Amino acid sequence: MPGNFYESLQTAMQANPDKLCFLCPAGESYTFAEIDRLAGQFASTLQADGVEPGDRVVVQVEKSVAAYALYLGALRCGAVFVPLNTAYTTAELSYFIEDAAPRVLILDPERTIALNAHQHDNAANPNAGQKPEPLHRTLSDDPQEGLWKTAREHQPIAEVVDRSEEDLAAIVYTSGTTGRSKGAMISHRALETNAKTLQRIWGYEPNDVLLHALPIFHIHGLFIAMHPTLLNGSTTLFLKAFNATVVRQHLAQATILMGVPTFYLRLLAEPGFGAHDCDSIRLFVSGSAPLTAQASQAWTDATGSRILERYGMTEAGIISSNPLAGERIPGTVGFALPDVDVRVCDDNGAEVRAGEVGTLEVRGPNLFSGYWRKPEKTTEELREDGFFVTGDLCTQQDDGRITIVGRAKDLIISGGYNIYPKEIESVLDEVDGVTESAVVGVPHPDLGEGVVAVLVGPTPVPDAVLKSALEEKLARFKHPRRFVWIDALPRNAMGKVQKNHLGARYEQVYQAP
């Protein structure tokens, strides 16, 4: 296997030089040969800016073909690509610049202006100027401006820069919902092995076309969706963002859609959406957030198609997947990938019996190399035998099938009893009038933590109806004692419910007036 992952991608590009690599709704298109050349030009531009193998390139830009080609160019020249969520504020950006210590910082033109103003306002900071400032570059979707214009004036670098399999290809920061974001260090080997496994187990075909409506600052859109598609020499319909009406219009041109659960719920809400919209799609994939069994069944009822749910995370890429051919059980995330070892353990690291709840641990070539500049966090979460403690609570059946039941940090301990929010959410989501729910634990003067159910629906369902549904299926100690209704659950960019926000919002509901 080549050391630099770009060599494998380039082999596929050179085997399909005249085939469309990217097709955009606005009409612009790029062949594989053109993308390979553009990546080489970006690589040449980065080298001209002094970027050497191993140097970090921090990027916070809007989604565009140029932005993806820039990522490929960073791989090609051996740099470490550091994508940042476009929702991060200028103040948050300062943390990532300090932590990653990039050679080059690439921003949208508007963000560059905002950052310059922020740095000017903080010029009196005693720490300012103590570290070398990165070169600042701008990138927009206009080929006549900024870094894209500069790249087009460069000749592509002649060769792909040599890297070993274990050298870093990227640092991807975790969402940081429980503190400062941690940078997961991802090697060329981790990217390559995961991509080739997905290409195989998801049965990529020569005529496949991916409909891409995901952001590219996250591993779902940047790695998981794109890498096997590029390796397969398949075309990507590249949308700027998800819009249910626009995605629906383009489904007929595609064979694969990868999305988060919100994609599928919003498509189902489109008037008249059904099987006729999905005739050309052979594979619907959902990930990045849990897909409820109810949502999965609603999709099948409306379209006749089954969604393939898989499970992954920043630190490990894809870990498990429901089968392409075989039973896809809604609410489960299938089986560990062929080259991935998993086990379910208690708090002491001892494996639990099949069907019991424990923390999922994973080991394999897809695993990250540790947390950037945080050796203590790496030691905490990587065991001596190479298993990574994911922090996700799950069960695993005798046949190996995995069901995620929640995050360990979401576990509620009330009156000494362990309560798993997903178990309660599954019951509430089945109640007529409940669109979705989120269950959180908040301080309780007697029980330590009290259970609160936050619900979304057209109109509030009476508490008596909710309690009756819970009474039938769950022990009394698991029942929420407070029900609150809101217009929409807070979510991050990948559709994950931000329970920490809900916990903070309702932390006083059990407190005495």
Side-chain angles (χ1 to χ4, degrees), residues 11 23 68 89 112 125 132 159 175 206 213 259 269 295 342 386 409 417 438 495 509:
T11 297
L23 178 61
Y68 202 87
T89 65
T112 299
N125 186 329
E159 302 290 339
S175 57
V342 297
K409 65 181 177 61
Y417 291 102
V509 297

Side-chain angles (χ1 to χ4, degrees), residues 18-19 25 30 37 50 59 62 65 81 160 163 209 213 242 245 256 281 290 304 340 354 418 453 473 489 501 512:
D18 300 322
K19 189 175 180 180
Y30 302 84
R37 176 176 174 79
V59 179
E62 295 298 327
V65 170
F81 191 75
V160 177
R163 302 299 281 158
V209 176
F242 178 82
T245 302
I256 300 173
I281 305 292
V340 175
N418 288 353
K473 297 185 177 181
L489 298 177
H501 291 187

Side-chain angles (χ1 to χ4, degrees), residues 5-52:
F5 178 44
Y6 189 83
E7 293 181 56
S8 292
L9 296 174
Q10 187 179 57
T11 297
M13 293 180 190
Q14 293 178 343
N16 300 276
D18 300 322
K19 189 175 180 180
L20 285 183
C21 179
F22 287 104
L23 178 61
C24 304
E28 68 269 32
S29 61
Y30 302 84
T31 66
F32 278 96
E34 289 170 335
I35 291 299
D36 184 33
R37 176 176 174 79
L38 184 56
Q41 290 174 310
F42 274 121
S44 179
T45 304
L46 291 173
Q47 287 184 341
D49 278 342
V51 173
E52 298 180 354

Side-chain angles (χ1 to χ4, degrees), residues 137-458:
R137 297 289 182 257
T138 62
L139 180 70
S140 69
D141 58 3
D142 187 343
Q144 304 303 321
E145 294 182 353
L147 196 65
W148 196 346
K149 179 178 185 295
T150 303
R152 292 171 67 239
E153 297 168 353
H154 280 250
Q155 288 298 313
I157 61 173
E159 302 290 339
V160 177
V161 172
D162 285 338
R163 302 299 281 158
S164 77
E165 294 179 14
E166 300 307 322
D167 282 331
L168 297 188
I171 295 173
V172 182
Y173 281 88
T174 60
S175 57
T177 56
T178 57
R180 282 293 198 185
S181 294
K182 305 185 296 290
M185 300 187 291
I186 303 173
S187 69
H188 287 268
R189 181 179 74 146
L191 294 181
E192 177 137 3
T193 56
N194 212 224
K196 289 183 174 178
T197 298
L198 297 180
Q199 183 189 9
R200 184 174 72 255
I201 69 169
W202 288 344
Y204 270 76
E205 300 172 359
N207 63 343
D208 271 332
V209 176
L210 170 70
L211 181 52
H212 193 297
L214 294 158
I216 58 172
F217 55 73
H218 185 273
I219 70 162
H220 194 168
L222 187 66
F223 301 155
I224 306 309
M226 283 302 304
H227 286 168
T229 304
L230 291 170
L231 288 174
N232 200 60
S234 293
T235 300
T236 297
L237 295 174
F238 206 61
L239 307 186
K240 290 279 288 184
F242 178 82
N243 175 287
T245 302
V246 175
V247 167
R248 183 181 185 181
Q249 291 169 351
H250 287 88
L251 282 173
Q253 299 172 260
T255 64
I256 300 173
L257 174 66
M258 295 191 194
V260 299
T262 304
F263 283 18
Y264 297 104
L265 293 171
R266 290 183 180 174
L267 285 169
L268 285 174
E270 284 278 294
F273 183 84
H276 60 282
D277 291 293
C278 305
D279 286 343
S280 68
I281 305 292
R282 72 165 185 86
L283 181 61
F284 291 102
V285 181
S286 180
S288 293
L291 178 72
T292 66
Q294 293 79 12
S296 181
Q297 189 59 52
W299 180 268
T300 299
D301 291 344
T303 69
S305 302
R306 297 179 303 157
I307 295 175
L308 185 151
E309 188 172 10
R310 85 316 182 267
Y311 161 73
M313 60 196 319
T314 302
E315 291 91 340
I318 298 302
I319 295 168
S320 71
S321 173
N322 271 276
L324 180 68
E327 190 175 16
R328 302 177 195 170
I329 299 179
T332 76
V333 293
F335 306 93
L337 267 55
D339 53 356
V340 175
D341 298 321
V342 297
R343 65 190 184 194
V344 185
C345 298
D346 62 21
D347 292 341
N348 297 316
E351 292 192 56
V352 302
R353 290 178 294 183
E356 291 185 350
V357 174
T359 300
L360 185 67
E361 300 187 2
V362 57
R363 179 177 66 187
N366 57 315
L367 205 57
F368 76 134
S369 305
Y371 292 112
W372 173 255
R373 291 183 170 175
K374 288 182 171 55
E376 71 291 346
K377 294 299 296 183
T378 302
T379 301
E380 284 177 22
E381 299 187 26
L382 277 172
R383 298 196 185 277
E384 291 184 1
D385 59 0
F387 275 88
F388 169 60
V389 182
T390 66
D392 284 323
L393 298 171
C394 75
T395 61
Q396 186 176 29
Q397 303 307 313
D398 288 324
D399 65 357
R401 189 179 290 273
I402 300 166
T403 301
I404 305 297
V405 301
R407 288 288 292 170
K409 65 181 177 61
D410 294 333
L411 176 69
I412 301 168
I413 303 177
S414 183
Y417 291 102
N418 288 353
I419 299 173
Y420 302 105
K422 188 175 180 182
E423 189 177 21
I424 305 168
E425 292 162 359
S426 296
V427 174
L428 293 173
D429 288 345
E430 291 180 349
V431 176
D432 287 341
V434 176
T435 303
E436 58 181 344
S437 64
V439 171
V440 296
V442 299
H444 190 286
D446 179 41
L447 300 172
E449 282 189 294
V451 183
V452 176
V454 184
L455 304 118
V456 175

